[in-house]
Amino acid sequence: WTVEKIATLIAETSGLDREEILELARNPEKLKATDGKAMPAFVDALADREGLTYKLEGYLFPETYEMLADSSANDIVFRLVRQLGDRLERLPEGWQAKLQESGLSFHEILTVASLIEREVVLDEERPIVASVIYNRLARKMNLEIDATVQYALEEHKERLLYEDLEVDSPYNTYKNAGLPPGPIASPGLKSIEAALFPAETKYLFYVTKKDGSGGHLFAETFKEHQRNISISNET
């Protein structure tokens, strides 16, 4: 889910002001720690980041929560942010070392994780899609991920058109090289783990199977990718 979808749900179920929730997501420096717990360090690191639609996009951990009925917008947003910090402790041992080895910031890893979250249904494919993302980045190929275009559009579309791929946004990975400015959704722990521990492959392409499985066909070359598209369309 995106911040906007999360804010809508919270507002509908709690009666809180949706815009107040979004304001905290835009400006996390206004967020106050509660229950004697410290603010996660990654929140402070967001202060100077530019070009983000919502600075807390991707940082509201997806889970089922029980909150007191009189909880404020601040209470709820902080709880979701704090939960991300707590859940990171469940990652495999050595994940901090893998983060350092990657040369990426935590924000960039979370961005990769959000792309995986939006693209993948099957857990076993998450590390493979992570490898595709990193392989394309290493070759300085545009990521060309449809989910980033969906995020850039003002409203979700069931089917993207070629004209949608031209949307002028830093989040559009068809037009812009490298990663988008930040996450495009809230990734779960499996996607974060995949971003930190990608599979070792030479894949550069993938296409969704149209057999209802939610799986993908992967390819190392564009020619193989075109063949996979034909196979997918036949199922």
Side-chain angles (χ1 to χ4, degrees), residues 171-203:
Y171 286 89
N172 183 352
T173 57
Y174 277 85
K175 295 189 69 174
N176 301 291
L179 292 171
I184 59 170
S186 292
L189 206 59
K190 289 289 186 182
S191 292
I192 298 173
E193 182 176 339
L196 287 163
F197 300 91
E200 292 187 14
T201 78
K202 295 182 180 179
Y203 293 139

Side-chain angles (χ1 to χ4, degrees), residues 1-217:
W1 280 19
T2 62
V3 157
E4 292 195 355
K5 194 169 183 180
I6 293 169
T8 297
L9 178 65
I10 293 173
E12 289 176 349
T13 56
S14 68
L16 293 169
D17 183 8
R18 179 176 183 271
E19 186 53 41
E20 185 180 357
I21 298 164
L22 293 178
E23 179 64 16
L24 290 171
R26 289 189 198 96
N27 302 290
E29 65 274 9
K30 296 181 179 180
L31 194 62
K32 295 179 176 60
T34 60
D35 297 329
K37 294 187 176 181
M39 187 74 68
F42 52 68
V43 175
D44 292 334
L46 293 170
D48 298 326
R49 287 208 169 263
E50 302 293 337
L52 301 176
T53 303
Y54 295 100
K55 289 186 177 180
L56 286 182
E57 188 76 82
Y59 290 81
L60 307 182
F61 193 76
E63 200 159 74
T64 299
Y65 294 86
E66 291 185 359
M67 299 291 298
L68 295 174
D70 61 352
S71 296
S72 67
N74 183 94
D75 294 338
I76 295 174
V77 173
F78 177 73
R79 173 79 179 279
L80 270 63
V81 170
R82 183 69 211 180
Q83 193 77 341
L84 172 59
D86 291 344
R87 287 296 178 260
L88 292 177
E89 297 178 7
R90 297 187 180 183
L91 287 170
E93 185 177 349
W95 72 267
Q96 295 99 330
K98 290 293 289 186
L99 174 60
Q100 289 186 331
E101 290 171 15
S102 73
L104 300 176
S105 67
F106 177 73
H107 182 77
E108 289 168 326
I109 286 291
L110 204 63
T111 300
V112 173
S114 75
L115 301 180
I116 297 167
E117 188 71 32
R118 285 295 311 272
E119 291 286 290
V120 184
V121 174
L122 306 177
D123 285 345
E124 61 267 27
E125 288 191 351
R126 296 185 194 278
I128 304 174
V129 170
S131 76
V132 174
I133 292 171
Y134 290 127
N135 289 343
R136 291 180 73 93
L137 289 173
R139 291 193 176 209
K140 300 191 183 306
M141 298 172 66
N142 285 9
L143 293 180
E144 298 185 352
I145 291 178
D146 288 355
T148 65
V149 176
Q150 289 281 14
Y151 186 79
L153 297 174
E154 292 184 2
E155 60 180 351
H156 181 82
K157 301 181 73 170
E158 290 300 321
R159 183 167 174 263
L160 290 175
L161 305 176
Y162 283 114
E163 63 189 46
D164 296 322
L165 305 184
E166 296 298 321
V167 62
D168 185 18
S169 168
Y171 286 89
N172 183 352
T173 57
Y174 277 85
K175 295 189 69 174
N176 301 291
L179 292 171
I184 59 170
S186 292
L189 206 59
K190 289 289 186 182
S191 292
I192 298 173
E193 182 176 339
L196 287 163
F197 300 91
E200 292 187 14
T201 78
K202 295 182 180 179
Y203 293 139
L204 293 170
F205 306 91
Y206 59 86
V207 62
T208 304
K209 296 178 183 177
K210 292 184 172 62
D211 59 2
S213 68
H216 294 85
L217 297 171

